[in-house]
Structures are given as structure tokens and as C-alpha cells.
Amino acid sequence: PSHPCVSAALSGGGLPLPGQPLRQELFRTPVLSFLYERGWRDGFKQAGFPGIEKEFEMAMEFFQVAREGNGTVIDLSCGSGLMVRRLAKSQQFGKVIAVDFSENMLKEVIRRSEEEKVPTFDLVRADVAKMPFGTASVDAIHAGAALHCWPSVQDGLKEVHRTLKPGGTFFATTFLWGVDDRVVNLGQNLPGSTARAYRFFAPKELEWLMKSAGFSEVTVDTIQRCAIIKCKK
């Protein structure tokens, strides 16, 4: 079938969970899931992000071992599915899994994947800090424009490291300090949410975070205010 296999039930009606940080709750709103591929994500190019097609090429090159081994790849914090749809269409992995905390984003993934008749992949609702995958069970993980939204970056990275097999690879992009707030500010679209909901980074900080999570090989490249992170376990 062309539609994704929902391997974890979508819960509730998108209502905020008590105690969840603003940066996490923003992505659970129907407004953001609607806007994500309608200009907002593409606007990240203003900060130096390579764009989804170039990022896909870079990730696929970095995931060469996973592709050659018919391995499992996760698109973590998948949003509306920009990357996971491309990973699934490539048909170069044994299993493709989309993971996001937002019910509305996952519904958007399903809708767009059905429209594009994307080959089957798994869909999982999960917190990056508590992923329901076995230790050393995944070959490659992608997290595009995501780390700055994670409530606890350290906990999320430890989970990424735990989940990856020895020699597994992690490819991520995120914002560096100095990006114009207007690139990511959703206040005009989400009344009452004008405060910055994101964490920005310095390159050395990102290197430290990756190594602290346990990664043995870490590269952080920068393009303007965008960091491109490549790690190997």
C-alpha cells in the first residue's frame, strides 16, 4: 500500500500536555503543521540552511553504509515529512521510520504521503528523550532543523546515541546564535506565543554536546547561521 503504516497510535486531540515546554507545544498546533511546508521551513534558507533537496543529498551520502547494508533509518522530529518522504521514495533502506511528538505533524505526514503515493514507511509518535526503540537497533538517524526545538538536547542526543548501532551515523541541522528572530518567530501566526521558543547554539557547544552524548567522531560545519552536524557512533 502507498500509505504509511501507523505503528504507534496518534493520541488525543492535540491539546497541550501539562508541563511541556513551549518549543515542543508549538509543533503540536494545527496552524504550524499547516504552515510548515507552505513557506515557513523554506524560509530557513535565509539563515544558511541548504534546502531540503541539498540536505537530502548530503544525508544520503553520509548514510552510505546504512544504504549498502539495507539498514534502518529514522527521520527524527520529522515535521510534515519533507525528509522522510524522500528517504522512503529512495527505496535504499530496509526500513524507514518517521518520528515526531506532534500528532498534527504526523497527520500531515500521512496526508502528504498518500497524495504523493510514497512507499510504505513506519510512523511513530514519541519524545526524542524517550524513544521506543531497542538499544543499538538503528543504522542511521536524521534530524533536520530540529535540535533547537528539543526540550532537553542532552537527553535527546543520548537517546540517539543509545539507539544507533556501533558505527551508526547521525546527521542533523540546527540554528546557530545570531540568526534573525524573524526567521523562526511564529508570533504573527500564533497569538500569545511571541516569545522565542527555541535554543540556539555555538559550533563548539554542538561539538561538546555530541561528544558528551558518546559519539566518537563529530564534525560541525557552518553556513551562515546554520550548523550541519555529522556524527558516528
Side-chain angles (χ1 to χ4, degrees):
S2 61
H3 58 81
C5 171
V6 181
S7 54
L10 302 180
S11 65
L15 298 176
L17 298 178
Q20 294 298 325
L22 174 61
R23 72 185 73 171
Q24 194 172 43
E25 287 307 303
L26 284 176
F27 285 84
R28 300 183 70 208
T29 63
V31 170
L32 185 50
S33 61
F34 177 83
L35 291 173
Y36 196 75
E37 287 191 41
R38 293 172 174 87
W40 189 58
R41 177 65 162 82
D42 196 54
F44 291 3
K45 290 180 181 178
Q46 299 174 51
F49 278 72
I52 191 61
E53 294 298 344
K54 181 62 177 176
E55 187 167 329
F56 172 66
E57 291 176 12
M58 296 167 71
M60 289 293 280
E61 181 180 357
F62 192 55
F63 294 161
Q64 180 179 353
V65 173
R67 291 189 290 114
E68 292 175 349
N70 199 38
T72 296
V73 62
I74 290 177
D75 187 20
L76 189 56
S77 299
C78 66
S80 59
L82 276 166
M83 181 61 74
V84 76
R85 299 198 307 271
R86 287 163 172 81
L87 293 171
K89 286 177 181 178
S90 76
Q91 297 187 307
Q92 294 191 42
F93 300 94
K95 175 171 282 196
V96 177
I97 305 172
V99 177
D100 206 282
F101 185 75
S102 167
E103 307 94 328
N104 284 301
M105 282 295 191
L106 293 175
K107 290 174 183 176
E108 188 75 358
V109 173
I110 294 172
R111 186 186 69 79
R112 288 180 177 273
S113 297
E114 289 177 343
E115 283 183 356
E116 297 177 17
K117 294 181 170 54
V118 177
T120 298
F121 59 91
D122 288 352
L123 208 65
V124 177
R125 180 176 184 255
D127 189 323
V128 296
K130 298 177 182 178
M131 291 194 286
F133 306 111
T135 297
S137 62
V138 175
D139 298 276
I141 296 178
H142 169 269
L147 270 65
H148 49 275
C149 305
W150 293 0
S152 175
V153 177
Q154 293 91 329
D155 290 345
L157 290 174
K158 287 179 181 177
E159 271 292 270
V160 169
H161 185 270
R162 178 191 67 79
T163 303
L164 284 171
K165 297 176 181 177
T169 47
F170 176 51
F171 183 100
T173 54
T174 193
F175 285 105
L176 297 171
W177 279 107
V179 66
D180 191 326
D181 278 356
R182 289 173 294 183
V183 175
V184 291
N185 191 344
L186 291 172
Q188 61 181 340
N189 298 314
L190 300 173
S193 298
T194 56
R196 180 193 292 154
Y198 308 102
R199 172 180 177 178
F200 299 152
F201 304 91
K204 290 295 184 184
E205 178 188 11
L206 287 167
E207 289 180 19
W208 179 85
L209 286 166
M210 303 300 152
K211 290 178 180 177
S212 295
F215 287 103
S216 60
E217 298 178 24
V218 177
T219 301
V220 178
D221 296 319
T222 62
I223 305 175
Q224 297 179 50
R225 298 292 93 193
C226 172
I228 299 172
I229 305 153
K230 298 176 183 178
C231 302
K232 184 176 180 180
K233 180 174 177 178

